[in-house]
Amino acid sequence: MSGLFSEFMIRAALAGLGVALAAPWLGVFVVWRRMAYFGDAVAHAAVLGVALSLMLELPVVLGVMGVAVIVALAIAAMETPRGGIGADSLLGVLSHGALAFGLIAVSFLPGARLNLEAYLFGDILAVSWGDVAVIWGGAAAIVGVIAWRWRALLTSTVNPDLAWSSGMNPDHDRRILTLALALLVALAIKVVGALLITALLIIPAAAARPLSRSPEVMLVAGMGIGAVSALCGLGLSYEFDTPAGPSIVAVAVVAFALGRLMPARSAA
């Protein structure tokens, strides 16, 4: 039991909580706007960001953030179907293409293959106090920006025409959401990894949706589910020696399944 309260577990718990509490602020809009594939594309691009960071000897967070922003903005620019290709197909090409090029780039780095699993599935137990500070600082920035634009984002999500007529700019708010999503990906890659970031983004919000009477209740419930998933997943990982990132996501999936069994309320 004392091992659960060792310094590395405390750092891991704080890092997991930082990401879990910030993710639902974006997750509620990702769920409402049906942007799951968008989140996947940005998350997969993180692997390319990792490779470029290692090549240029830059902090991984900066490399991942830069590539994620570029990919996110590129996706936003390609939303309108072109040449008979649907937006979902373009997202699929960009998502898997970024992942493929990232994996190829990593293969050219000496010794990087051994660390690739940490970037794909996370290595939350290896976070430092510096990582914790960066995660909480970034999480605070995400929460601050989304809270500031909450009403505008909500209006443009529910009724874009009403947003335009009210003097709001849905395109501007979507870009804000896109940049915040890129920041979350950069923060979360060490916690759950590039392949599981979207799960942590979507599952707590989706689990909270049937149980919520309002968007604000959905947000708070999603934060609670995310926090419990992070802490319980870490505890299970320690107890049964399972990978920490997948364990966190697995707990969130169980919460989602239990939520579906409960009587639904007026969903947000």
Side-chain angles (χ1 to χ4, degrees):
M1 179 64 68
S2 60
L4 282 173
F5 299 100
S6 59
E7 186 176 349
F8 79 93
M9 286 297 292
I10 292 174
R11 290 197 302 266
L14 289 174
L17 281 174
V19 172
L21 294 176
W25 286 83
L26 300 175
V28 291
F29 293 107
V30 170
V31 170
W32 290 332
R33 294 174 179 234
R34 299 183 178 182
M35 292 171 60
Y37 218 158
F38 180 95
D40 262 336
V42 177
H44 288 173
V47 178
L48 181 57
V50 169
L52 293 177
S53 299
L54 296 177
M55 286 179 178
L56 301 176
E57 298 183 352
L58 295 173
V60 171
V61 170
L62 292 181
V64 171
M65 178 69 181
V67 172
V69 166
I70 292 172
V71 170
L73 293 177
I75 293 171
M78 294 191 304
E79 278 190 315
T80 303
R82 301 177 183 181
I85 300 177
D88 57 339
S89 298
L90 288 173
L91 278 173
V93 171
L94 198 53
S95 171
H96 299 296
L99 179 60
F101 279 110
L103 293 174
I104 291 171
V106 168
S107 70
F108 287 103
L109 299 174
R113 293 188 186 187
L114 299 177
N115 299 322
L116 184 58
E117 185 175 341
Y119 296 115
L120 292 177
F121 301 106
D123 192 11
I124 190 173
L125 299 180
V127 297
S128 65
W129 286 115
D131 294 326
V132 173
V134 169
I135 288 171
W136 277 89
I142 291 171
V143 171
V145 169
I146 301 302
W148 168 52
R149 300 298 300 172
W150 177 265
R151 187 55 52 189
L153 283 166
L154 186 60
T155 303
S156 61
T157 298
V158 175
N159 192 331
D161 292 333
L162 177 61
W164 282 113
S165 64
S166 301
M168 302 175 187
N169 187 337
D171 292 337
H172 174 67
D173 289 320
R174 183 178 178 84
R175 283 192 291 271
I176 290 176
L177 190 62
T178 295
L179 295 176
L181 179 59
L183 176 57
L184 180 70
V185 168
L187 297 176
I189 191 167
K190 233 182 176 180
V191 176
V192 292
L195 298 185
L196 299 176
I197 290 172
T198 311
L200 195 60
L201 181 72
I202 295 172
I203 295 174
R209 184 172 186 175
L211 311 175
S212 307
R213 294 183 180 274
S214 69
E216 291 75 18
V217 172
M218 180 179 170
L219 171 62
V220 173
M223 292 171 68
I225 293 170
V228 170
S229 299
L231 295 178
C232 290
L234 275 174
L236 291 173
S237 172
Y238 180 84
E239 185 69 25
F240 298 104
D241 194 26
T242 56
S247 297
I248 292 171
V249 173
V251 173
V253 171
V254 171
F256 173 80
L258 292 176
R260 303 301 295 180
L261 297 177
M262 297 177 65
R265 298 173 182 268
S266 295

